Amino acid sequence: MDRINHYKTISELHQKSGFPPPEHPLLSLMTCRELMTYSVGESRFTSDFYMIALKKIKSGYVLYGKTRYDHDNGSMVFVKPRQIIEVSNVQFAEKGFLIFFHEEYLSGHRLHEQIKKYGYFEYEINEALHLSPSEERIMWDSYEKIRTEYDNNQDEFSREIILTHIDSILTYSERFYKRQFVNRSTNLSGTTIRKFHEALNRYAANGQLQNQGLPSVHQLADELSLSSRYLSDVLKLETGKTALEHIHIYLVDEAKNRLLSSDHNIAEIAYQLGFENPPYFTRLFKKMVGLTPMQYKEQHLN
């Protein structure tokens, strides 16, 4: 099994990659030149810092999560601390940039909590953000402002200014991902919803509910070759409900059918649907229907 290095400091990552030392121990910026080849770290690695990258790859590869990412027209990717990544012999087709910032750089700042709300840090490389030329200019503008502050003599205002521009990149990324979902809704979101429900139906039809228990978002996302967070975000944007909420709706609909079409008691139906704990099934049912399973059955059979 390949060794996975862990870098606690950005300086250590720079050293292993053959880069000059960073100007700041908790922050690093790299403007990647066209046609130059870059590798980051040694083999696969994790770290205690975030990475934001804008790149157009000509050759080489990035391994992120479970996905190997080769050539692409251009995109942004986002990596959070302790995610596995490998960047090997990547040659850029056009100029790109990399931003590394340690999680400690956010301590005491509002972005420390806000960054956890950006779901795309949970996405995999095949769910990268694809930018239009105008969107790319916006990202470069924010990056150049960070670069100007980073390269000049930093003072007590520098961290706030830099984090404001990083936050701007992240906020724009949230907006552009929403645009990406909408633009691809006919061939991604609509298809994803259909395939998600098909996967749920197969899970039940194959007897997996009773044999393996409740399906997880992770299991279903794997079947659709998506990350869990990306799946939930696509479904949320398209339907207003997350993947977990869709699972719950499916289970309750199945429960309603079985309550009215069989003589099984509440506990038996709960076990058939994958619930190890019948009281949990009852609580979920009541939360979504407004009645307990028994009340629902009595109301509809009387």
Side-chain angles (χ1 to χ4, degrees):
M1 187 172 180
D2 293 343
R3 183 167 65 99
I4 298 177
N5 294 305
H6 181 77
Y7 299 110
K8 292 184 178 181
T9 68
I10 294 175
S11 296
E12 184 184 3
L13 178 65
H14 271 239
Q15 182 182 5
K16 294 291 186 182
S17 306
F19 303 148
E23 295 291 326
H24 190 290
L26 301 178
L27 175 69
S28 170
L29 305 180
M30 288 181 55
T31 305
C32 304
R33 297 180 184 177
E34 182 180 354
L35 302 182
M36 285 193 66
T37 302
Y38 298 85
S39 292
V40 177
E42 293 181 329
S43 69
R44 301 172 74 192
F45 69 90
T46 59
S47 73
D48 288 341
F49 30 91
Y50 292 88
M51 183 186 83
I52 300 172
L54 171 66
K55 56 193 177 41
K56 295 186 179 182
I57 293 177
K58 181 178 180 181
S59 62
Y61 70 89
V62 176
L63 182 69
Y64 174 48
K66 295 171 293 185
T67 309
R68 183 174 170 131
Y69 181 87
D70 295 293
H71 316 311
D72 188 76
N73 290 330
S75 60
M76 292 191 72
V77 293
F78 307 84
V79 181
K80 69 177 186 177
R82 290 164 291 282
Q83 285 182 318
I84 299 173
I85 187 167
E86 181 178 356
V87 182
S88 180
N89 297 318
V90 169
Q91 189 176 82
F92 286 78
E94 295 183 13
K95 189 171 72 168
F97 67 70
L98 288 170
I99 304 174
F100 293 106
F101 52 100
H102 200 283
E103 55 191 356
E104 289 182 6
Y105 193 63
L106 306 181
S107 295
H109 192 274
R110 62 186 178 279
L111 193 54
H112 183 270
E113 293 304 315
Q114 180 63 29
I115 201 168
K116 298 171 186 175
K117 299 177 183 178
Y118 294 124
Y120 47 78
F121 279 100
E122 304 286 348
Y123 297 171
E124 292 186 349
I125 209 92
N126 58 327
E127 295 143 9
L129 175 59
H130 304 286
L131 300 174
S132 69
S134 62
E135 291 168 351
E136 195 170 325
R137 284 194 296 273
I138 289 171
M139 295 305 191
W140 271 110
D141 180 60
S142 292
Y143 174 79
E144 294 296 349
K145 289 175 180 175
I146 297 169
R147 179 98 243 179
T148 299
E149 192 66 31
Y150 183 79
D151 288 340
N152 292 326
N153 293 325
Q154 297 187 41
D155 57 26
E156 69 269 26
F157 299 103
S158 295
R159 176 171 171 268
E160 179 62 38
I161 292 169
I162 288 171
L163 286 177
T164 296
H165 293 309
I166 289 176
D167 192 21
S168 180
I169 288 175
L170 298 177
T171 304
Y172 273 116
S173 298
E174 182 86 345
R175 170 189 276 183
F176 297 156
Y177 259 117
K178 294 282 175 63
R179 181 268 311 156
Q180 184 166 301
F181 290 158
V182 170
N183 287 352
R184 300 170 69 194
S185 61
T186 54
N187 61 4
L188 173 64
S189 300
T191 303
T192 301
I193 293 165
R194 175 177 55 80
K195 288 184 175 180
F196 179 77
H197 283 284
E198 287 174 354
L200 268 175
N201 285 325
R202 279 195 302 274
Y203 192 90
N206 293 338
Q208 289 171 277
L209 281 172
Q210 197 160 5
N211 296 329
Q212 298 181 26
L214 299 175
S216 69
V217 175
H218 180 75
Q219 285 174 297
L220 297 169
D222 267 356
E223 189 168 336
L224 301 181
S225 299
L226 299 171
S227 69
S228 303
R229 188 59 186 261
Y230 190 82
L231 173 62
S232 277
D233 284 354
V234 170
L235 295 179
K236 180 76 172 179
L237 186 73
E238 188 71 13
T239 69
K241 298 186 185 301
T242 65
L244 184 60
E245 288 174 317
H246 277 280
I247 291 173
H248 288 165
I249 290 168
Y250 177 86
L251 292 170
V252 168
D253 283 345
E254 279 293 304
K256 287 178 179 178
N257 179 58
R258 297 185 190 204
L259 284 166
L260 301 182
S261 63
S262 74
D263 294 326
H264 295 295
N265 62 39
I266 306 302
E268 288 171 334
I269 290 174
Y271 291 130
Q272 289 170 5
L273 293 175
F275 291 87
E276 295 181 1
N277 185 350
Y280 170 59
F281 163 67
T282 297
R283 289 195 301 272
L284 177 65
F285 191 97
K286 185 172 183 180
K287 178 182 176 182
M288 297 186 66
V289 180
L291 301 168
T292 66
M294 183 57 70
Q295 289 170 337
Y296 177 85
K297 184 170 185 175
E298 289 173 351
Q299 185 181 84
H300 286 78
L301 292 181
N302 291 336

